[in-house]
Amino acid sequence: MPGGMEERYSKAETLALRRKHIGPSCKVFFAKDPLKIVRAQGQYMFDETGEKYLDCINNVAHVGHSHPYVIKAATKQMELLNTNSRFLHDNLVQYAQRLTATLPEKLSVCYFVNSGSEANDLALRLARQYHGHQDVITLENAYHGHVTSLIDISPYKFNQLGKDSKKEFVHVAPSPDIYRGKYREDHPDPASAYAEEVKKIIEETQKNGRKIAAFIAESMQSCGGQVIPPVGYFQKVAEYVRAAGGVFIADEVQVGFGRIGKHFWAFQLQGEDFVPDIVTMGKPIGNGHPMSCVVTTREIAESFGASGLEYFNTFGGNPVSCAIGLAVLEVIEKEDLQGNATRVGNYLLELLAEQKEKHPLVGDIRGVGLFVGVDLVKDQQKRTPATAEALHLIYKLKEQKILLSADGPHRNVLKFKPPMCFTMENAKHVVEKIDVLLTEIEEATGMKTGNDISANAQCKRKTNEGSSQAEPANESTSCMNGAVCRQENGFYPEKCSVPSKRIIT
């Protein structure tokens, strides 16, 4: 074992004990051949044999796995004190002050909790207390957490339970997806069109005697397929929701803390004139340490307090968590990780755009900073999801010691959300491997590549110019020689002209 580590159990024994003692619904990555990870550093993870894997998945290890500065801050505070937030402690107020300084001025009151799910659950409580309303508007394919209140508002989950699983107080608006959604990139004003769908829901709800408490959305949908809402959408939705007595909740659990590069928070992509009423955060906030936060306005916080029900969280805001949170903020700033997200993210988008010109399997490239999606399709005109091909590709990448995931409602979108220390060399390495694998898949399935059309694509790339985890149920589709992949793919011999938009930060 590397570094003097001792393996208590063999991989087979670990897997057997997991199957015996861990709930069967708790899935693992790469279930056909799961990885046993024993240590990690920066953007790399190591298995029990010492093999090194490039991690393109872990947005939790935000500033890098096992960051020494974060570890030192945690250890130093743990040696002194860890207790609950009913005692005064400087770490709590210092962190709250530093965190809210990254947000618009009116978002000034914090509630510290322990996970993204806990943050979103509390956000719903705040929203429902504010005006005493109950109903929630959510988006298609949304996922907001694993607790009961959030499964209720997460179509990504409750749709798996059958057609009658949606609660009467939940209303689902179309995902503002301009590639696969109701209003696409050729629409003159998709932001307004998607917002009008929310307005219609509000009007219908009111006709039925119900009242809207909140609209909740990830600032960029993650499980929904790396969807970036068109600019102006959130402003219009907020206007309609607030007029109905509701609040706007921005879920930043996946995409916050500088991941998009240009801004610290993804909701800021909508423009300076948009400010949510509640922001929830988690995952990257503690670089792997279980902590999260809800930030809201003074008005909403006072309304919540006026209920007379004390809010107390045993572990939320403890001195160790706050010390870690402070250290993460300091690393983001000192190591210019936002700048890195911009530089590396733009480079990754450029490399992937070349793949789109070259490969008919690549339908759309979308992303900002180090949050990028590659939508794989069997037919670029019909935009038919290439689900089996995506699964095959991520398993083949694993063989190449690269960890990537596929998600979205059709499990066909390759998701990049690596640690923020990801480098240009890492990006180039991953895309080169993807290029080879896409070529192999297209040759195996009889797809015509765009090699002849785009032989000079790499020479023409312009740096500053834009252009337009769950495992699938049947893993046998990962075999590209299987029947599912021998079917007619319907590709056209000429390159299809399907507009694609990517954002340069």
Side-chain angles (χ1 to χ4, degrees):
M1 288 295 291
M5 294 181 294
E6 293 183 3
E7 187 184 5
R8 183 167 298 177
Y9 305 113
S10 68
K11 179 178 174 179
E13 289 171 331
T14 301
L15 185 57
L17 285 168
R18 182 181 175 107
R19 288 171 175 163
K20 180 178 180 180
H21 295 297
I22 306 301
S25 58
C26 300
K27 305 298 184 182
V28 294
F29 284 127
F30 309 105
K32 287 176 61 179
D33 182 26
L35 288 171
K36 182 175 181 181
I37 298 297
V38 298
R39 67 183 180 96
Q41 185 72 46
Q43 65 271 50
Y44 297 100
M45 305 180 81
F46 300 83
D47 69 12
E48 79 284 2
T49 70
E51 285 283 4
K52 181 172 74 171
Y53 292 81
L54 178 60
D55 183 4
C56 303
I57 295 174
N58 267 291
N59 59 333
V60 178
H62 190 62
V63 300
H65 291 280
S66 307
H67 196 287
Y69 189 78
V70 178
I71 292 171
K72 183 178 179 180
T75 304
K76 182 177 178 181
Q77 182 57 52
M78 196 171 290
E79 288 175 342
L80 291 173
L81 170 72
N82 200 22
T83 185
N84 65 55
S85 56
R86 284 188 166 180
F87 295 99
L88 290 177
H89 197 279
D90 287 349
N91 284 6
L92 176 65
V93 293
Q94 184 183 4
Y95 184 54
Q97 185 178 47
R98 287 283 300 277
L99 186 62
T100 55
T102 68
L103 291 157
E105 186 176 359
K106 79 170 192 174
L107 293 167
S108 60
V109 182
C110 300
Y111 295 87
F112 291 107
V113 287
N114 308 290
S115 70
S117 292
E118 198 173 342
N120 282 329
D121 178 78
L122 178 57
L124 289 181
R125 288 182 59 189
L126 290 166
R128 285 170 168 158
Q129 173 64 30
Y130 187 47
H131 284 309
H133 298 174
Q134 175 71 12
D135 288 27
V136 177
I137 301 174
T138 187
L139 293 177
E140 287 176 328
N141 310 316
Y143 175 66
H144 293 290
H146 62 79
V147 300
T148 300
S149 67
L150 302 177
I151 295 297
D152 286 346
I153 64 165
S154 297
Y156 182 82
K157 289 293 185 181
F158 71 63
N159 282 341
Q160 299 176 36
L161 302 175
K163 62 179 182 179
D164 298 324
S165 58
K166 185 174 77 67
K167 301 292 193 296
E168 63 178 352
F169 59 82
V170 176
H171 312 280
V172 181
S175 172
D177 182 350
I178 63 171
Y179 180 69
R180 291 193 173 278
K182 185 175 182 179
Y183 307 107
R184 298 189 173 181
E185 69 277 358
D186 57 351
H187 191 281
D189 187 2
S192 295
Y194 278 116
E196 284 296 312
E197 295 289 331
V198 176
K199 185 179 180 182
K200 291 175 187 176
I201 289 173
I202 293 172
E203 292 171 346
E204 186 65 25
T205 300
Q206 290 173 333
K207 286 179 184 178
N208 294 328
R210 306 190 68 90
K211 296 180 178 180
I212 299 298
F215 172 91
I216 184 170
E218 291 178 274
S219 299
M220 297 191 294
Q221 277 193 302
S222 181
C223 292
Q226 310 295 86
V227 174
I228 305 172
V231 174
Y233 172 67
F234 281 176
Q235 288 93 327
K236 294 179 185 296
V237 168
E239 178 185 345
Y240 299 146
V241 170
R242 288 165 182 161
V247 302
F248 192 109
I249 302 171
D251 179 342
E252 292 270 341
V253 170
Q254 293 269 10
V255 294
F257 291 89
R259 175 159 293 279
I260 65 168
K262 183 177 181 180
H263 301 291
F264 205 79
W265 305 104
F267 71 77
Q268 293 171 318
L269 286 170
Q270 292 283 309
E272 293 183 2
D273 60 332
F274 173 68
V275 180
D277 302 295
I278 302 172
V279 176
T280 61
M281 50 194 76
K283 291 188 187 298
I285 191 172
N287 210 55
H289 178 79
M291 65 182 297
S292 61
C293 187
V294 179
V295 184
T296 189
T297 65
R298 173 63 56 186
E299 184 181 14
I300 292 173
E302 289 179 351
S303 171
F304 188 58
S307 68
L309 185 66
E310 178 189 7
Y311 180 78
F312 170 62
N313 190 301
T314 300
F315 297 107
N318 70 75
V320 172
S321 293
C322 291
I324 290 170
L326 281 164
V328 170
L329 292 180
E330 289 171 9
V331 171
I332 292 171
E333 181 178 356
K334 289 179 179 178
E335 298 185 5
D336 187 27
L337 294 182
Q338 274 187 260
N340 189 66
T342 295
R343 293 184 294 271
V344 178
N346 287 347
Y347 182 59
L348 175 60
L349 286 166
E350 290 162 8
L351 295 175
L352 291 170
E354 292 173 3
Q355 300 307 306
K356 183 180 184 301
E357 292 298 309
K358 183 177 180 180
H359 295 286
L361 263 172
V362 180
D364 190 39
I365 306 296
R366 50 186 179 263
V368 191
L370 289 175
F371 186 82
V372 175
V374 181
D375 198 313
L376 299 185
V377 298
K378 295 179 182 179
D379 185 315
Q380 288 201 8
Q381 288 192 340
K382 296 178 181 178
R383 304 184 181 186
T384 311
T387 301
E389 291 82 353
L391 180 62
H392 175 79
L393 192 144
I394 63 172
Y395 267 91
K396 286 295 184 180
L397 285 172
K398 172 176 168 282
E399 293 177 7
Q400 301 286 334
K401 306 298 183 286
I402 296 169
L403 305 181
L404 194 65
S405 63
D407 214 332
H410 307 290
R411 300 292 196 273
N412 70 306
V413 180
L414 306 180
K415 292 175 63 172
F416 286 85
K417 47 187 182 66
M420 295 276 279
C421 52
F422 206 68
T423 67
M424 289 189 179
E425 291 75 16
N426 295 149
K428 186 173 186 290
H429 175 63
V430 174
V431 176
E432 285 175 348
K433 296 296 184 183
I434 289 175
D435 182 16
V436 171
L437 292 170
L438 288 174
T439 300
E440 291 176 358
I441 293 171
E442 288 162 350
E443 290 176 352
T445 55
M447 297 180 182
K448 181 177 175 63
T449 68
N451 288 341
D452 296 337
I453 299 171
S454 60
N456 297 320
Q458 293 188 29
C459 299
K460 296 179 180 179
R461 173 158 37 91
K462 297 180 181 180
T463 303
N464 296 317
E465 183 174 299
S467 66
S468 104
Q469 163 138 170
E471 301 288 345
N474 182 4
E475 293 191 16
S476 66
T477 57
S478 67
C479 178
M480 292 309 300
N481 294 320
V484 69
C485 300
R486 287 198 297 266
Q487 61 186 315
E488 184 64 38
N489 288 289
F491 274 85
Y492 293 84
E494 287 80 29
K495 175 174 168 278
C496 298
S497 178
V498 179
S500 175
K501 296 181 180 179
R502 61 190 174 97
I503 298 177
I504 296 294
T505 58

